[in-house]
Amino acid sequence: MPGIKPSTSLTSLMMDKQDVTLTSLTQYARRPGATQSSLLQSARPAAPEEKRNVESEEKKPLPAPKKKRKKKHGITANLSGTRYEVIRLVCEKCKFDICKEDDPNSYLIWSDSFVSADRITELKPFQRINHFPGMVEVTRKDCLARNMMKIQRHHADEFNFVPKTWILPADFSLLQNYAKDLKAKKKYKTFIVKPANGAQGHGIQLFRNAEKIPPTEHFIVQEYIDKPLLLEGYKFDLRIYVLVTSCDPLRIFIFNDGLVRMSTDKYVNPADPNLSNLYMHLTNYSVNKHNEFYQKGDSVETGSKRSIRFLNEYLRKNDFDTVLLWRRIYDMVVKTLLVAQPHLLHAYRMCRPGAPAGSDSVCFEVLGFDVLIDRKLNPWLLEINRSPSFGTDEKIDFDIKSALIEDTVRLLNIKLSDKRRNYFAQKAEAQKRLFRTTKRNEADMTEIEKKKQSIEKRKEELREQLARVRKATAREDFENRNAGRFRRIFPSEDKLKQQKYVNIMSSIFGIVMSGRAPAMQKEIQKVYNNQFREEDILDLIAECEADEKDGKLGSKAARGPKPLSSMPISLPSPPTEDEFDEEEEEEDAEYTSPPGSPGLNRRESRPPSTKSRPGSLRPDSRVSNDASSLCNSRPNSGVSSMRSRPTSNMSAVNSRSKSLSRLHGKQSIMQRSLIDDNFLITVVKEREDELTKKTLQALNDMRIKFPGKTDQEAELILDTLHENWKFHKPRIASYWLVKLDSIKRRKVIDIVRSNVRAVLQRIWRISDVDNLRLYRIFTRVFNRLLWSHGQGLWNCFSTTSQNGSWETIFSKSSENICENEFNCCRRIVQLCRDCLLIVYQFAAEAKSSSQQNSETTELSSAGTLSSRDKASSALMAPHNTQTLSQRYSKLYPRADTTAT
Ligand code: ADP
């Protein structure tokens, strides 16, 4: 390879390009179920036989003119954020409609760069975007090092696949001490210094003597792995592609091919004369392509870039244990993502409040793991790229990356019907809210009613669990059939291994989340150690029903949740998903895409149980199919919850044949649906407007409390601060942005957030406000205020932008926010600002009177909210007093007294 100058003539480059396209086309054609035949069919002229048929048909009386079909809109892909041609090619192959502009409503959004939390919050449940919030915790070199070190302290043996790392400048003295120790022991090691946020080998240097490393900021130092496995005498590293399809729950796949990137000067052990030879020590393509010895691959066995498949073959031929190597690599990948998991989950849930656990993830991510292998066949994790290059300079790039993207898109299981399902989910959720009955006071209930309620509750929980289990089975079934060249590595099929991972995950949550860990750990065991099988849950539901039937309630109680009395009897149900699918199927008749392409996967993806219960009058099958029935805001969940029957009735319900449902006729279904829709939408809208208005009123009545002072006095304090703003501004800025750390800043905003939640619970009469559209809007505002560790709230004090900086989250958004909703947001921002000022003023006063012992007592109510509305004040007071009295004095350092 070296010594042979690569051909760089223009013709050879053009040949290369041609080659690439031709291969890609032939490759597509070779794939099972390629559309070639369908394409040919539409293109070729009619055969004589066919022509005869056409003629004879022409003589027949003309059939009634067919209704012109509505123009079909396909699955849309917004690729405006990516520069990679191969992504466009794959999307085209999958028959996606590629948007001309940056369409925020596309089914698929692919971006090469960072995606903000706001953008993820705004996504509708049917959309998919190629990044997770929080992934930066393992994709920035310094974050990865910090998080790994934290876990290594508790699990040194399990996490020994990252080279020893120091983050500069903080760890500079630790590094120097380590170097001194080595010197004393007469041991010599090499260190590699890299920019914390660098890429492509930029700014990397090697040092033999750690004392010479400057304490440069934003750099990391690593022990150099000086005995790498060599390929034909060259150092190499692996680019392994890992796909995360969801973090709630976590699902990880590894692609069965990738790149082997070789250095271009033969490797010798690091020594002073060769330290600066980056063509020997670095394996980046971006570095080595500049070496005259860089060789473009003419075949899979030559060139400076090769495939992992080739490497496996090479290792096998040379008697290396490739099975062991890959077992170690899988293990490393899973454990690394377990380290990321608390951050991923937290960030995802912040962005998607109310998304039912186990629902389809709007985020996915293709990560590029850079892995070095040493001579003992140990993999070393060098870094993770959150936007691995999809450049296709060489044929090998195109072959691997196009297959990778295609299999990724297929696994995402994007379906045209997802949008409508989402529409129904929202409608059902709204319907559920609209017809929600007020909970009766337990004291007013008879014993029988109490028992009945508890059985109902238990049944509901079981149904949820059943839906979750069924959803998980269906998902797994789909993955097994559509993984292509991916292999799922988490959850693992190996039960022992899975148990080990679950324990590690649980422990990591304990390390990272401390106080909040127990609840999460319980959830982890429940989600990842699925002890219950579908049959077990069905048995338990049957038991509940038997209890009811046996007359344990004293009377023949109607089975299943009763239809709500407030529900208009004439309100027909909206068409079920299947009816929609049928409609869609018809419309889809001309819309063909290759088998396995995302548009057509939906049928395959159905679990067998779905198919056995066709028809529209199947509340129970709906409950089970949609993971989400009842509490989950998935299609028709509200309807099923109101109309669902107990499981024992399932067979009766199921026995109604599909033809029965078809009796109604699609037309009538559609008409009925339209009428219902309009009626329902109007009623729900009116009701929601009314409740939003009430919420606004309650928010306007809220006041931030200053301990020991009346509301009027607190208002006076705020006025004084505003009047002397010039004087206070730098002090408040330094208090907020410097003195308080980000956790405390979050807690100030949380004072308002928790009270807003309480108001919503009271006015909307629900405990789980996460599902409320209004709360989701508020969450976006809170996220914006927390932007850049609280900088967002500080920006709201800016007079130049007229406090409008937060408003851009709505002006740029496609979501329509009505005036009252917007005014609620405005009021929330105002309350957060007031809360900051009161906390600041209180801390300042506390400092000036630090001699007073009674401080803690007074602090107990600082920063809480009061309300002119007596009911809401009664609701909020205990909540605030309790939490704040315990933590307030510890939380907020005293402000500079000179400020007042
Ligand atoms: P970048 O993001 O700039 O590519 P990497 O961490 O991937 O930085 O390092 C670039 C190259 O340097 C790697 O591909 C590898 O060849 C080499 N390298 C990095 N860290 C080490 C290490 N600890 N030991 C040996 N080689 C390393």
Side-chain angles (χ1 to χ4, degrees), residues 393-439:
D393 289 0
E394 295 176 36
K395 180 176 176 299
I396 187 172
D397 288 311
F398 185 87
D399 289 349
I400 293 174
K401 293 170 188 178
S402 60
L404 165 79
I405 297 163
E406 193 184 334
D407 285 351
T408 299
V409 171
R410 186 181 306 174
L411 258 181
L412 294 180
N413 192 18
I414 304 173
K415 301 182 291 296
L416 195 59
S417 54
D418 288 347
K419 201 172 194 169
R420 289 206 237 183
R421 271 169 221 239
N422 170 48
Y423 164 74
F424 277 120
Q426 283 181 351
K427 206 170 87 170
E429 189 52 40
Q431 201 178 30
K432 217 166 130 187
R433 279 204 302 274
L434 181 67
F435 301 119
R436 184 172 282 119
T437 45
T438 323
K439 262 199 172 175

Side-chain angles (χ1 to χ4, degrees), residues 141 163 192 194 198-202 204 222-225 235 237 261 281-284 370 372 382-383 385:
K141 291 186 180 78
I192 185 165
K194 323 179 198 179
Q200 303 190 328
H202 288 305
I204 295 188
Q222 260 179 4
E223 242 176 43
Y224 187 72
I225 308 300
K235 178 175 169 176
D237 78 349
R261 298 161 319 170
H281 293 291
L282 304 196
T283 48
N284 304 71
D370 289 352
L372 193 77
L382 299 183
E383 72 156 341
N385 293 279

Side-chain angles (χ1 to χ4, degrees), residues 429-430 432-438 684-696 698-699 756-769 771-775 778 820-821 824:
E429 189 52 40
K432 217 166 130 187
R433 279 204 302 274
L434 181 67
F435 301 119
R436 184 172 282 119
T437 45
T438 323
V684 169
K685 184 105 201 45
E686 278 170 9
R687 177 100 177 102
E688 290 192 340
D689 283 349
E690 189 191 318
L691 292 174
T692 307
K693 233 184 252 170
K694 276 189 183 168
T695 308
L696 177 61
L699 291 175
V756 168
R757 284 181 72 95
V759 163
L760 289 175
Q761 279 165 346
R762 182 173 57 81
I763 291 174
W764 293 70
R765 292 213 209 107
I766 43 171
S767 54
D768 181 15
V769 293
N771 279 322
L772 264 188
R773 170 190 141 85
L774 192 57
Y775 186 67
F778 292 170
N820 280 334
E821 288 169 338
C824 287

Side-chain angles (χ1 to χ4, degrees), residues 5 111 117 147 239 367 385 525 586 648 650 681 787 896:
K5 269 217 158 199
S111 166
N147 288 315
R239 162 59 56 87
L367 297 164
N385 293 279
Q525 294 297 337
E586 285 230 327
S648 60
M650 251 183 195
I681 288 167
W787 171 75
D896 188 354

Side-chain angles (χ1 to χ4, degrees), residues 67 157 168 284 286 302 352 362 384 418 473 484 518 551 566 658 697 781 825 847 859-860:
K67 261 193 190 171
D157 292 343
L168 299 190
N284 304 71
S286 46
T302 58
R352 312 284 309 166
V362 293
I384 306 171
D418 288 347
T473 316
S566 57
K658 199 165 186 169
Q697 208 171 356
V781 175
C825 296
K847 186 171 184 188
L859 275 165
S860 66

